[in-house]
Amino acid sequence: MTPLTLVGFFILAILLQLFALLLVFLYGLSRTVGAIFLIVIAVVSAFIAPWSLLLGVPMIIGSLLVLIAPLRQAVISKPAYKMLAGAMPSMSDTEREALDAGTSWWEKELFMGAPDWNKFANYQYPTLSEKEQSFIDNEVEILCSMLDEWQIHHHDKDLSPQAWQYIKDNGFLGLIIPESYGGREFTPYAQSRIMSKIASRSLTAAVTCMVPNSLGPGELLMHYGTEAQKQRWLPGLAKGTEIPCFGLTGPEAGSDAGAIPDTGVVCYGMYEGREVLGLNMNFSKRWITLAPVATVVGLAFKLHDPDGLLGDKNKTDYGITCALIPANYEGVHTGERHNPGSPFMNGTVVGKDVFIPLDFIIGGIENAGRGWRMLMECLAVGRGISLPALSTSAGEMSYLTVGAFAKVREQFKISVGKFEGVQDASSNIASNTYMLESFRHLVTCGLNEGGTPSVMTAMAKYYATETMRKIVNDGMDIVGGRAIQLGPRNFLALPYQAIPVSITVEGANILTRSLMIFGQGAMRCHPYLFEELQLLQSEDKRSAQHKFDDMFFKHLGYTFNRGARSFVAGYFGGSSKAPKFADSFSRPYYKKINRLSANFALTADMALGLLAGDLKRKEMLSGRLADIHAHLFIMTAILRYYAHGTQSKAEQLHARLALDNALYTIQEAFFELYANFPNRMAAGLVKFVCFPGGAFASKPSDALKREVGELMMLDGEQNPFREQLKSLVYYTTDPDNNTGRIENAFQMLRHIEPLWHSFKKAENKGEFAGLTFEDHVLTALKDGVITEHESEQLIEYNAVRFDALLTDVFDEHLNHALPRYNPHTLENAAQNLTPYVLEAIENPAQAASEQSDYIEDSGDQNSAHGYQQDGEVKPVSEQTQLEEQVDQADFNEADFNEANDPRLRDAELTLEQRMAKNHARHQASLEQANKQTEAAQSDSSDNPHRPNK
């Protein structure tokens, strides 16, 4: 053979062995089958090219090590066990219980790198039962109508007595309690929907209803309470005759709840006239919601039995325990309030030398020391419902109100929502709101199926509240001063002020992202890690090492399998597996999720294997791993929600922007983790295996953001998602309501939009005589440009628009909001006419010449702002006459029915007659009104007019 032929055979033999390795790992062959297969391939390769034994010999040795148990254990397993056992940090009982608490759900599939899409498709997507829907449509609607958040926040500092009583009487505090105990027994999805709707009207009321159904003792009683305890407390909690709170946080222990100094020491004491075995309690709790009005207090404390009175002389410290104590119990002190910025009831619970019988422990003495696990499992469920529901509500209300504002508010002669800078923010609101609703559905889907998926709920709490923070901040940027000035008209400021509450409670967000999500995720979602950890910390080392051998090699096989999947996907794309409902839009995203899930599994194993216990302290790395895991879950939530939605073009745009944002977040988290990983060689190798082509995602395009920004200002069939949001919140067009006022203006504009835009185009071109809007309407009516009916439509919308943009004014002490005068109503509009208009009607030729001079001097023709005068966001240089003609609306096709719109009044006189009468026949009255107006100028900052006295 020629040297070239020999080289060719050598390369072929090497490639054959590498391909065999890849197949073994890619298909996850068993240890025995895989080892034998590799030995056979190495031998065959040696016949093809003897020099291939350079790779073949190591393959054969490795395969023999895997096959021969004593050799494998001596060379690999035992050294690995000793090294890892020494590297693992000590773990407290609290940490062990936290890691061991809870179950896993769909997040485990994504963590393991090979999601089962059939399982995903078979999850029963959440819907409301007939009873739940009726409760939302009736009881919740009535409660919302009773609430005025400005009155609650600024004046009363509490819910009204009527609202409190309605909440108690109608079971709002017992949504999770079984019907057998008098509760509603609603699903987690129904609870979420209920809290969202209440929060869309009043955050104070939502928190009040939320706590008993998530942080209160009801959940603990249902799962762990004795039957006597359930009979004692659950019916009262369901009926609202008992109001619960739960004391966990204290001055010395917040995130580190295991460090609580509150104690219960076992001793004998007097209870109801007789000596019983019980606990001497000392506690000081703060930031406890509902504590000032609670009738029963749940407490977490550390139980000590120094005298062995519980029967075990060798056990003195039992750990965290939970108990229920009546709030009026001797020695218990409640009542003082904190001021968290939102006036829901929040305060302290203090007790000094309070003696309680052992029966007060939730679940009795059998649950002594089990409190932390109980809290981790039960309160984790509430973490996935309540605050994510409030966050979703804030997003949806921002979508509705900010979108309406962006449409109604005009600057530089166009709606502010048409500016690209605004669309950059508004598109974020739209896509993030779509993400939140999708997220809510999938999380509650998991909770509906039972279990206590602590990792998923930690994701829900953190990413929902952080997304809400971004949405509300974007809304504040768009609405600007209208959102800054506090008052009963403001629809954004109070949610903005309450953001820190959501960020802080139920697990501070920094802690949740840095430690909980990946820390618990690795334990609950990894197929082998938790069992390995238990073996590494076992006291029976001999037995543990034997079990560790099998577990360790299964773990290695899992890691190499994910590495092989990642390698193949890096060159050929991810697996094409997808749920049965995938379509042409969603299928490419499922393929990317398959790839990224495998990449995540390999990267997580690298971090866990190389850093071991040090990963606990590498919180920035852990946080990035949490970002990847959570956004993979979020992507599947979006795709599932899209599959159950309208799948319209508008909804597809929302979903695409949300998905692309998630993909970009995942990419940045991956690359930042590799760039900051301590072992640079390992990070570089894993990055090459997972992403040989480098970046795999880019930021969403400007074109996509513009489209979604435009959609946010549309409604009905043009934007089915906005239409759906109306059914998820307390929706109103009441012009006296802070949110209804802007929505009323928005809906009225939609009704007359062709007329309004046509009139404004003509107005901006200087086609009408006069200085004021009313002047222009009158001259347009006189010239036959608009009809009498259209003139009233324009006047009425302009009045509603102006009122929707007004901010509140107060007395000098900022106690009471003062009435705002609207000079543009149909009744007041005549006062805005100038004498010039009447002259124009009598001598149109002279007036037209003067008006032309006025327009030139006033700068109305100035196009320096870069936008054309007819209100379209388009450079003047790009206009064409044809486009101008097409833009003109056909008013004969306008969908308007005055008889069906109660907001429009039937004027007794035409606008022209009213105005002419006021000016031509009652000039003296007008002069008097003008004097009053001038005198009132100092009383109004937004407008030089005030009401006639």
Side-chain angles (χ1 to χ4, degrees):
M1 294 185 185
T2 65
L4 188 60
T5 303
L6 291 173
V7 171
F9 278 115
F10 172 74
I11 294 174
L12 175 64
I14 294 295
L15 289 176
L16 179 62
Q17 293 175 88
L18 291 175
F19 185 67
L21 270 173
L22 181 64
L23 288 178
V24 168
F25 295 140
L26 186 62
Y27 289 98
L29 299 181
S30 69
R31 192 163 55 203
T32 303
V33 172
I36 294 174
F37 176 68
L38 290 178
I39 292 172
V40 170
I41 293 296
V43 172
V44 171
S45 298
F47 281 104
I48 297 174
W51 282 102
S52 67
L53 288 173
L54 290 172
L55 177 60
V57 168
M59 281 178 53
I60 292 171
I61 293 173
S63 298
L64 291 173
L65 281 173
V66 170
L67 285 172
I68 304 171
L71 186 63
R72 179 180 71 242
Q73 293 171 6
V75 175
I76 301 176
S77 299
K78 288 182 179 180
Y81 182 89
K82 292 178 181 179
M83 181 187 70
L84 291 173
M88 295 304 296
S90 61
M91 184 178 297
S92 67
D93 291 339
T94 302
E95 288 179 301
R96 184 176 288 104
E97 287 184 358
L99 293 174
D100 191 28
T103 59
S104 58
W105 189 60
W106 175 243
E107 71 278 11
K108 182 171 184 175
E109 293 287 327
L110 296 168
F111 191 102
M112 295 194 303
D116 184 344
W117 295 113
N118 289 329
K119 180 185 293 186
F120 183 70
N122 290 329
Y123 290 142
Q124 188 172 354
Y125 211 52
T127 57
L128 295 172
S129 68
E130 187 176 337
K131 288 190 300 183
E132 292 166 343
Q133 185 67 63
S134 175
F135 187 79
I136 290 173
D137 293 341
N138 295 285
E139 284 87 346
V140 178
E141 184 78 10
I142 292 171
L143 175 61
C144 288
S145 69
M146 300 170 69
L147 302 170
D148 181 342
E149 187 69 350
W150 176 255
Q151 180 70 24
I152 294 167
H153 189 282
H154 191 66
H155 295 289
D156 299 341
K157 311 300 181 185
D158 189 9
L159 301 178
S160 68
Q162 295 81 7
W164 265 113
Q165 197 59 49
Y166 190 83
I167 287 170
K168 295 175 184 178
D169 292 344
N170 288 275
F172 282 87
L173 305 182
L175 300 178
I176 63 173
I177 295 174
E179 290 182 341
S180 58
Y181 294 99
R184 294 282 182 178
E185 201 172 351
F186 285 165
T187 63
Y189 176 64
Q191 295 171 47
S192 177
R193 287 283 304 274
I194 290 165
M195 296 308 158
S196 278
K197 187 165 183 176
I198 298 172
S200 70
R201 188 74 175 110
S202 167
L203 180 67
T204 307
V207 172
T208 300
C209 297
M210 170 190 92
V211 168
N213 294 291
S214 59
L215 294 174
E219 184 91 13
L220 293 170
L221 281 172
M222 288 161 48
H223 287 85
Y224 301 105
T226 65
E227 187 57 35
Q229 289 172 337
K230 293 177 182 179
Q231 293 292 344
R232 166 65 181 88
W233 294 111
L234 290 181
L237 292 172
K239 295 176 182 177
T241 56
E242 301 284 0
I243 298 177
C245 70
F246 194 91
L248 177 59
T249 304
E252 301 293 341
S255 298
D256 184 11
I260 58 176
D262 311 288
T263 59
V265 179
V266 181
C267 62
Y268 283 96
M270 299 302 294
Y271 177 70
E272 294 183 345
R274 58 192 178 92
E275 188 178 56
V276 298
L277 189 62
L279 300 170
N280 183 59
M281 303 282 293
N282 287 281
F283 49 87
S284 177
K285 304 291 188 181
R286 64 176 177 178
W287 303 339
I288 311 305
T289 301
L290 293 187
V293 295
T295 63
V296 57
V297 178
L299 283 176
F301 60 94
K302 287 184 175 177
L303 190 150
H304 301 277
D305 184 17
D307 299 323
L309 297 177
L310 296 181
D312 188 346
K313 297 292 184 180
N314 297 319
K315 186 173 184 180
T316 59
D317 294 329
Y318 280 75
I320 295 177
T321 303
C322 296
L324 279 184
I325 306 176
N328 61 359
Y329 196 80
E330 183 179 358
V332 177
H333 184 71
T334 63
E336 290 90 352
R337 293 181 64 179
H338 292 307
N339 185 0
S342 185
F344 56 86
M345 287 294 167
N346 187 268
T348 61
V349 179
V350 178
K352 177 69 173 175
D353 292 327
V354 179
F355 179 80
I356 64 171
L358 293 178
D359 290 345
F360 281 20
I361 296 175
I362 297 177
I365 193 62
E366 292 79 8
N367 279 340
R370 295 189 62 207
W372 189 238
R373 184 185 184 96
M374 292 159 58
L375 291 171
M376 288 297 97
E377 291 184 345
C378 289
L379 300 187
V381 175
R383 186 184 292 124
I385 298 174
S386 299
L387 286 174
L390 270 57
S391 299
T392 301
S393 172
E396 291 170 347
M397 289 306 295
S398 295
Y399 189 113
L400 293 170
T401 56
V402 176
F405 177 89
K407 181 77 169 179
V408 171
R409 175 66 165 163
E410 295 181 2
Q411 292 287 272
F412 303 106
K413 302 176 182 178
I414 58 172
S415 296
V416 297
K418 288 185 173 291
F419 289 96
E420 284 196 7
V422 172
Q423 289 174 344
D424 190 26
S426 64
S427 62
N428 288 335
I429 294 174
S431 62
N432 282 330
T433 301
Y434 191 87
M435 183 277 277
L436 283 176
E437 189 58 50
S438 306
F439 203 13
R440 182 242 292 274
H441 271 77
L442 191 58
V443 169
T444 54
C445 175
L447 294 175
N448 280 355
E449 296 202 352
T452 55
S454 54
V455 177
M456 179 187 74
T457 55
M459 289 179 181
K461 192 277 173 179
Y462 175 81
Y463 292 96
T465 56
E466 288 294 338
T467 301
M468 176 270 295
R469 186 195 327 226
K470 295 174 185 176
I471 289 174
V472 176
N473 275 313
D474 281 332
M476 293 292 291
D477 287 347
I478 294 172
V479 182
R482 177 69 173 82
I484 294 171
Q485 299 296 337
L486 288 171
R489 291 171 170 267
N490 196 312
F491 50 81
L492 267 183
L494 295 185
Y496 175 78
Q497 287 184 0
I499 288 174
V501 175
S502 296
I503 298 300
T504 304
V505 302
E506 293 197 38
N509 275 13
I510 290 177
L511 168 76
T512 302
R513 174 179 179 266
S514 300
L515 291 176
M516 289 182 62
I517 295 175
F518 185 74
Q520 283 191 308
M523 294 297 110
R524 304 312 309 162
C525 299
H526 196 287
Y528 307 111
L529 188 62
F530 183 72
E531 293 180 61
E532 288 174 325
L533 185 62
Q534 298 290 88
L535 293 171
L536 290 170
Q537 296 191 340
S538 172
E539 295 182 0
D540 184 358
K541 299 298 183 184
R542 186 179 185 87
S543 174
Q545 286 181 2
H546 180 74
K547 294 177 182 177
F548 180 80
D549 172 63
D550 182 63
M551 190 69 60
F552 182 66
F553 275 89
K554 285 181 178 179
H555 189 161
L556 287 178
Y558 162 85
T559 302
F560 284 125
N561 173 261
R562 272 39 179 186
R565 286 171 179 265
S566 295
F567 180 79
V568 172
Y571 289 97
F572 303 103
S575 166
S576 297
K577 293 180 180 179
K580 55 190 175 185
F581 49 72
D583 61 8
S584 59
F585 166 74
S586 61
R587 197 170 293 279
Y589 287 106
Y590 285 114
K591 190 171 185 178
K592 292 175 181 177
I593 292 171
N594 288 330
R595 173 191 178 181
L596 294 172
S597 178
N599 298 155
F600 174 69
L602 178 62
T603 303
D605 257 14
M606 173 194 72
L608 291 165
L610 296 179
L611 296 180
D614 285 340
L615 187 57
K616 177 181 176 181
R617 291 176 286 274
K618 299 291 185 181
E619 296 181 14
M620 294 183 186
L621 297 182
S622 178
R624 293 183 181 109
L625 289 165
D627 289 342
I628 298 167
H629 191 193
H631 280 86
L632 286 171
F633 188 94
I634 287 169
M635 287 185 70
T636 62
I638 294 167
L639 291 168
R640 185 69 189 266
Y641 186 71
Y642 165 79
H644 286 266
T646 63
Q647 299 188 22
S648 62
K649 176 66 174 177
E651 187 168 356
Q652 194 175 103
L653 289 170
H654 283 81
R656 184 181 298 280
L657 183 53
L659 289 163
D660 289 353
N661 277 325
L663 275 174
Y664 187 75
T665 300
I666 291 170
Q667 172 184 275
E668 296 306 291
F670 265 123
F671 290 172
E672 288 173 10
L673 184 141
Y674 296 140
N676 291 278
F677 197 76
N679 189 322
R680 306 297 306 123
M681 182 179 295
L685 177 61
V686 172
K687 182 179 180 180
F688 173 75
V689 170
C690 293
F691 307 108
F696 58 88
S698 58
K699 282 187 174 182
S701 69
D702 291 352
L704 176 58
K705 300 198 78 171
R706 284 195 299 268
E707 285 188 276
V708 176
E710 289 280 351
L711 278 173
M712 195 168 148
M713 297 186 291
L714 301 178
D715 202 355
E717 293 182 358
Q718 294 176 301
N719 185 2
F721 180 62
R722 189 183 198 276
E723 194 68 27
Q724 182 193 6
L725 294 185
K726 298 177 189 178
S727 66
L728 302 176
V729 300
Y730 181 71
Y731 177 79
T732 179
T733 57
D734 179 1
D736 294 325
N737 180 280
N738 64 332
T739 59
R741 181 177 284 106
I742 191 67
E743 183 68 12
N744 178 50
F746 173 75
Q747 294 298 339
M748 187 176 290
L749 175 57
R750 289 185 64 234
H751 211 60
I752 69 160
E753 193 166 7
L755 170 64
W756 176 258
H757 285 322
S758 177
F759 177 82
K760 294 299 286 185
K761 286 180 182 180
E763 183 184 50
N764 293 334
K765 291 177 180 178
E767 295 181 4
F768 306 131
L771 304 178
T772 68
F773 177 85
E774 287 78 10
D775 287 343
H776 299 160
V777 172
L778 181 57
T779 53
L781 176 62
K782 184 67 178 179
D783 294 342
V785 176
I786 58 175
T787 66
E788 174 188 324
H789 177 64
E790 290 169 343
S791 70
E792 290 203 8
Q793 287 182 271
L794 290 170
I795 290 291
E796 183 169 8
Y797 169 68
N798 190 51
V800 169
R801 177 197 64 82
F802 185 83
D803 181 68
L805 300 177
L806 285 175
T807 55
D808 290 289
V809 294
F810 291 81
D811 62 273
E812 61 179 329
H813 300 295
L814 297 178
N815 290 325
H816 303 288
L818 304 177
R820 298 310 316 268
Y821 173 63
N822 187 347
H824 296 294
T825 62
L826 195 59
E827 294 83 358
N828 299 328
Q831 298 181 30
N832 297 322
L833 286 172
T834 60
Y836 174 82
V837 175
L838 297 178
E839 295 175 11
I841 294 173
E842 297 174 359
N843 191 350
Q846 179 180 353
S849 175
E850 294 175 359
Q851 176 72 353
S852 177
D853 294 339
Y854 159 73
I855 292 172
E856 186 67 31
D857 294 341
S858 70
D860 277 5
Q861 298 295 327
N862 181 10
S863 60
H865 51 68
Y867 296 95
Q868 64 174 340
Q869 299 162 8
D870 62 7
E872 298 296 331
V873 187
K874 188 175 182 182
V876 176
S877 61
E878 294 181 18
Q879 297 179 43
T880 66
Q881 185 61 34
L882 177 61
E883 288 175 336
E884 287 292 324
Q885 292 173 355
V886 170
D887 280 346
Q888 301 303 314
D890 184 354
F891 299 128
N892 293 327
E893 295 180 3
D895 182 15
F896 180 81
N897 188 338
E898 180 182 2
N900 293 332
D901 193 341
R903 296 171 301 181
L904 299 181
R905 56 180 293 153
D906 185 15
E908 296 178 359
L909 300 171
T910 67
L911 181 65
E912 178 184 358
Q913 290 172 327
R914 283 171 174 247
M915 295 180 177
K917 186 176 182 179
N918 272 303
H919 284 71
R921 302 180 184 178
H922 300 286
Q923 190 64 33
S925 175
L926 177 60
E927 291 173 357
Q928 179 64 26
N930 287 338
K931 290 179 181 179
Q932 292 176 342
T933 300
E934 292 172 359
Q937 285 181 348
S938 61
D939 295 334
S940 175
S941 59
D942 286 327
N943 195 317
H945 301 280
R946 73 173 183 182
N948 293 331
K949 295 182 180 179

